[in-house]
Amino acid sequence: MEEVDVEPAITNIPAASDGKHLGFAWGPGDILTYETLYPYASSGVRGSGSLYIHEVRKDEDIYSPILRKLFNESHHIFVGLQIIREDLPSKNKKPQFVSISKNYRSVIRACMEELQQAAVSTKVADVATQYGNQVSILLAIELIWNLCEVLFIDAAPAGSLLLHLLDWVRLHKADVDEKAREVLQSESPAEHRDYWDVVVSYVLQGRLEEARQMLVKQATLHPAARNMFKLMDTLLSKMPFYNPGGTQTLTEFDVKWRHWHEEVDRCLQDNSFASNPHLELICKILVGDEDTLLEHKGLLSTWYHFLVTRLLFCHPTVKPTELHFYAQSCMTMFLDMSPEPLDSILLAAFEFDIHQVIKDCSIALNNWWFVAHLTDLLDHCKLLQSHNLHFGSNLREFLLLEYASGLFTHHSLWQLAVDYFDHCPEFGRVYLELQIERVPLETERKALKVLRICEQRQMSEQVRSICKIMAMRALRNNRLGSALSWSIRAKDAAFATLISEKFLQDYCAKGTFSDLDLIDNLGPSMLLSDRLTFLGKYREFHKLYGEKHFSEAAKLLLSLMTAKIAPRSFWMTLLTDALPLLEQKEVIFSADQTYELMFCLEELTSSLNTAAVDADRPMQVRRPITKSP
């Protein structure tokens, strides 16, 4: 057995006293624990037991109304991804995969914003803390997903790679925009205490146009230093950025960038900004001085921001294969303590170790949503083909099965899980068959939903099981029509026979049939059992009699006895029903039919006389058919 990568988290169960013996029961996604009367391990004294049963949930997120939207929306994206044609060339599918990845991220962003609003509006401290924790998790998820999109799905080459990484950092380091708004809305922006922090932050993110606009305000306040500000503006405006759609090659861009870099370095060596420490600081950043960058950890805040800034001003043509070297060195230089799980995940991504990213995320995150959907997308991009698990299923299917199994524990999200199982070709159907049987059938509406799912997938065993459960429930509630309908749907001949007997007993007691619409429209279903056939034909006899088709009614009544379709216990009732036909003014029964009728009466009388046990006493109709005028 393989060793676990990390020690399992300890769950404290409230009200469970130290030393008490706990019993537990496993559920599909939860565990129920309870104190028992088992003696103390040390003293041998019996425990008193507790009145409480504690529910330990494996995944709390599926019970969050806001996060439920994440599951619902991502389900639609997942289903859309599965129908992308396999025969399309990879080049044609790449834009679709990138678009799908962005759709996933937009759903994450929408949920994050809603959680932030909910955290602000709630007045309950614990709830606000819970929402805040969920926002932090979603922020980390979106950060990792975005990086995986850049490195694996879009697979940006040298030149374009840095542009994507800049967008990645800017998206996840948005506090500078809030600070900039605060500065610009003040009476004197250039004298605001955060003015230079905003300018430097813009430069660190490569947002040089915004930095130039901010510097104009400072230059206006210091006319004597106008030339110095103008020189800085020139350096910022001349910094080249690679244009993937342009005519310039990567080599030509590299030459142009080096010329610009040398010009900035000359200005620094010439002490062109020595009289203004803020501008000199910006100049040092532009030449990529590592010590200067590390002195501003507060503005960078993370090692991966430091990495992208360092690449921007030192290695703008970095290749994907070189990223891991710079990432490792930047993390080592920036962090003063051991890396957090998020740091390790991002480093694994920069090292292009997809499987390590998925593994670390599976350990660090509290549910399977992220790893299941990301792995599915990467698998469609043909990036996981070489990785199969030793117990059969591949990595994609394993994670999807785990995620879908968790959804099945929820009262409404279980319907989403069905589609995930459908797209797991190896074990999906087996999992679905096992999980669908655990769905509680509280109402007929829900039972019909489950039944439709099973029928669409030809899951005959589950169809029969559901129908039997619903038929038995209806029978217990004395709803014979519903019980018969479910038993017919289950094709359960024995149960249909039992319910048909109940209908006949009910008829004998009341003199009328209940649920006439159902019995009148049995159609071929009445052939499921002899007793059901008799019930349908006997009701047909009543209809013929009521419509005064006496000859057809007499013929049908006689055939029910001579063909042995009618139960022997019901023959006396049928013979009683024949009396009004015999009393009609016109002759209804022919001589042969009358003879057969008498033979049936004689056979019934003989069997009653010879019966040892009176267990098959004929049922009598309380109100026989009245004679037609």
Side-chain angles (χ1 to χ4, degrees):
M1 183 175 177
E2 294 184 5
E3 294 184 1
V4 294
D5 296 282
V6 293
E7 287 297 321
I10 296 175
T11 301
N12 293 315
I13 301 175
S17 305
D18 292 337
K20 290 289 184 69
H21 185 273
L22 290 180
F24 64 90
W26 292 96
D30 305 335
I31 305 173
L32 297 179
T33 65
Y34 49 90
E35 290 185 21
T36 71
L37 297 176
Y38 194 82
Y40 284 103
S42 56
S43 63
V45 179
R46 288 173 63 85
S48 60
S50 172
L51 298 176
Y52 297 103
I53 295 177
H54 307 288
E55 182 182 10
V56 183
R57 287 176 174 172
K58 180 180 178 182
D59 184 3
E60 186 70 20
D61 287 344
I62 64 173
Y63 298 98
S64 168
I66 298 175
L67 289 179
R68 213 173 300 159
K69 296 179 182 178
L70 173 69
F71 302 136
N72 279 304
E73 293 297 326
S74 58
H75 163 260
H76 296 303
I77 302 171
F78 170 83
V79 173
L81 173 59
Q82 310 311 308
I83 61 176
I84 291 180
R85 289 172 52 192
E86 287 291 333
D87 57 344
L88 288 175
S90 297
K91 288 184 179 179
N92 295 352
K93 288 191 284 189
K94 181 178 174 180
Q96 290 179 283
F97 291 145
V98 173
S99 175
I100 287 171
S101 178
K102 290 180 178 178
N103 288 342
Y104 274 126
R105 290 199 293 113
S106 67
V107 171
I108 297 172
R109 281 265 162 189
C111 284
M112 206 158 32
E113 291 173 4
E114 192 168 348
L115 282 169
Q116 287 172 332
Q117 293 173 359
V120 172
S121 60
T122 186
K123 296 180 180 179
V124 182
D126 290 343
V127 174
T129 302
Q130 181 185 358
Y131 286 150
N133 293 337
Q134 290 173 341
V135 168
S136 300
I137 292 171
L138 288 181
L139 275 170
I141 285 175
E142 211 266 333
L143 178 73
I144 299 166
W145 191 302
N146 196 351
L147 182 60
C148 291
E149 179 186 305
V150 171
L151 299 179
F152 306 140
I153 302 169
D154 201 1
S160 300
L161 176 59
L162 180 61
L163 299 178
H164 287 296
L165 290 176
L166 281 171
D167 290 337
W168 174 62
V169 164
R170 291 166 186 169
L171 182 63
H172 298 280
K173 190 72 172 64
D175 57 337
V176 62
D177 294 309
E178 297 176 12
K179 195 178 288 187
R181 278 194 295 271
E182 185 181 335
V183 169
L184 293 173
Q185 289 172 1
S186 64
E187 293 182 4
S188 179
E191 295 178 340
H192 194 279
R193 67 179 184 278
D194 293 330
Y195 170 82
W196 283 108
D197 282 351
V198 171
V199 175
V200 173
S201 295
Y202 277 147
V203 175
L204 291 172
Q205 290 188 10
R207 299 166 64 176
L208 304 187
E209 189 60 38
E210 288 100 320
R212 290 174 62 200
Q213 292 174 7
M214 293 292 287
L215 285 173
V216 169
K217 301 182 183 301
Q218 189 69 215
T220 306
L221 283 180
H222 301 89
R226 183 171 298 172
N227 290 335
M228 195 184 306
F229 279 98
K230 187 175 182 180
L231 176 60
M232 176 55 70
D233 184 73
T234 302
L235 292 177
L236 292 173
S237 65
K238 288 172 67 176
M239 180 178 177
F241 283 88
Y242 181 68
N243 181 12
T247 57
Q248 190 180 50
T249 65
L250 188 62
T251 304
E252 291 171 343
F253 163 76
D254 187 49
V255 171
K256 186 177 180 181
W257 182 87
R258 290 183 184 280
H259 287 159
W260 169 83
H261 195 264
E262 290 170 1
E263 183 180 352
V264 176
D265 191 48
R266 279 196 302 271
C267 291
L268 187 62
Q269 300 301 326
D270 294 345
N271 295 319
S272 301
F273 304 104
S275 61
N276 191 315
H278 296 295
L279 295 181
E280 188 176 36
L281 168 64
I282 294 174
C283 191
K284 287 181 179 180
I285 292 173
L286 293 179
V287 296
D289 184 71
E290 288 181 358
D291 292 335
T292 302
L293 293 175
L294 290 172
E295 287 171 4
H296 291 80
K297 285 185 178 181
L299 297 179
L300 291 168
S301 73
T302 61
W303 67 268
Y304 45 89
H305 188 182
F306 170 52
L307 164 67
V308 176
T309 300
R310 184 183 173 197
L311 293 175
L312 174 64
F313 297 116
C314 298
H315 311 284
T317 58
V318 62
K319 298 176 182 177
T321 53
E322 300 168 343
L323 269 179
H324 68 94
F325 167 75
Y326 295 115
Q328 181 65 66
S329 63
C330 285
M331 190 172 78
T332 303
M333 285 189 288
F334 194 89
L335 294 180
D336 298 324
M337 58 187 72
S338 57
E340 297 287 333
L342 177 60
D343 300 320
S344 301
I345 293 168
L346 295 176
L347 181 61
F350 282 120
E351 292 173 346
F352 284 83
D353 191 344
I354 298 176
H355 301 109
Q356 191 62 42
V357 171
I358 295 169
K359 179 180 178 181
D360 289 348
C361 288
S362 300
I363 295 171
L365 299 175
N366 59 347
N367 66 62
W368 297 101
W369 179 89
F370 172 70
V371 288
H373 289 87
L374 179 62
T375 303
D376 174 61
L377 181 55
L378 295 176
D379 186 74
H380 278 82
C381 296
K382 308 296 183 185
L383 296 171
L384 296 172
Q385 298 305 302
S386 62
H387 195 79
N388 289 321
L389 303 182
H390 66 276
F391 48 82
S393 175
N394 61 31
L395 182 61
R396 169 193 174 272
E397 183 161 320
F398 169 76
L399 294 173
L400 287 176
L401 291 173
E402 288 295 320
Y403 171 65
S405 297
L407 291 181
F408 247 100
T409 64
H410 192 269
H411 64 88
S412 64
L413 294 177
W414 65 269
Q415 298 173 78
L416 306 181
V418 174
D419 286 324
Y420 289 95
F421 285 140
D422 282 344
H423 292 97
C424 294
E426 192 166 352
F427 295 122
R429 184 178 178 88
V430 176
Y431 269 67
L432 179 58
E433 289 174 351
L434 293 173
Q435 294 284 358
I436 204 82
E437 293 176 349
R438 296 174 175 175
V439 177
L441 307 175
E442 298 98 344
T443 63
E444 283 206 5
R445 182 180 178 184
K446 189 171 183 179
L448 288 170
K449 281 184 181 179
V450 178
L451 193 64
R452 186 162 53 250
I453 289 169
C454 295
E455 288 176 340
Q456 289 170 349
R457 291 156 182 80
Q458 289 82 48
M459 296 164 59
S460 54
E461 285 296 323
Q462 285 69 30
V463 168
R464 281 195 291 271
S465 175
I466 293 165
C467 291
K468 285 180 180 179
I469 291 170
M470 297 306 295
M472 187 62 73
R473 184 181 299 173
L475 183 60
R476 282 199 300 266
N477 294 327
N478 202 32
R479 295 168 55 230
L480 297 181
S482 179
L484 181 59
S485 177
W486 283 111
S487 63
I488 291 172
R489 200 159 187 172
K491 295 181 173 58
D492 189 336
F495 204 73
T497 299
L498 173 65
I499 298 171
S500 299
E501 286 280 9
K502 295 283 186 183
F503 264 105
L504 295 173
Q505 291 172 7
D506 190 57
Y507 170 75
C508 289
K510 299 177 181 177
T512 57
F513 282 110
S514 58
D515 299 286
L516 288 178
D517 287 343
L518 174 63
I519 301 174
D520 287 343
N521 294 283
L522 285 174
S525 300
M526 71 171 65
L527 301 176
L528 182 61
S529 76
D530 289 345
R531 200 57 46 87
L532 184 58
T533 303
F534 170 70
L535 177 64
K537 290 297 182 181
Y538 187 54
R539 168 58 189 158
E540 188 179 333
F541 160 75
H542 276 264
K543 287 177 66 178
L544 291 171
Y545 186 90
E547 295 168 359
K548 298 185 179 181
H549 300 306
F550 298 132
S551 297
E552 291 90 336
K555 185 178 179 182
L556 177 57
L557 183 69
L558 190 60
S559 68
L560 290 176
M561 289 187 287
T562 56
K564 309 298 183 184
I565 295 176
R568 184 65 62 89
S569 60
F570 212 77
W571 276 24
M572 187 59 74
T573 301
L574 297 179
L575 290 169
T576 305
D577 287 338
L579 291 176
L581 294 173
L582 291 169
E583 294 172 354
Q584 292 291 328
K585 292 180 181 180
E586 58 180 299
V587 177
I588 304 299
F589 289 103
S590 66
D592 290 340
Q593 288 176 328
T594 305
Y595 176 78
E596 289 181 354
L597 205 59
M598 292 175 66
F599 178 78
C600 290
L601 176 60
E602 183 179 348
E603 187 177 346
L604 177 62
T605 305
S606 175
S607 65
L608 289 175
N609 291 335
T610 58
V613 181
D614 191 17
D616 200 20
R617 185 177 298 277
M619 295 183 288
Q620 296 295 327
V621 181
R622 182 177 295 172
R623 286 173 291 181
I625 295 177
T626 57
K627 180 179 177 181
S628 180

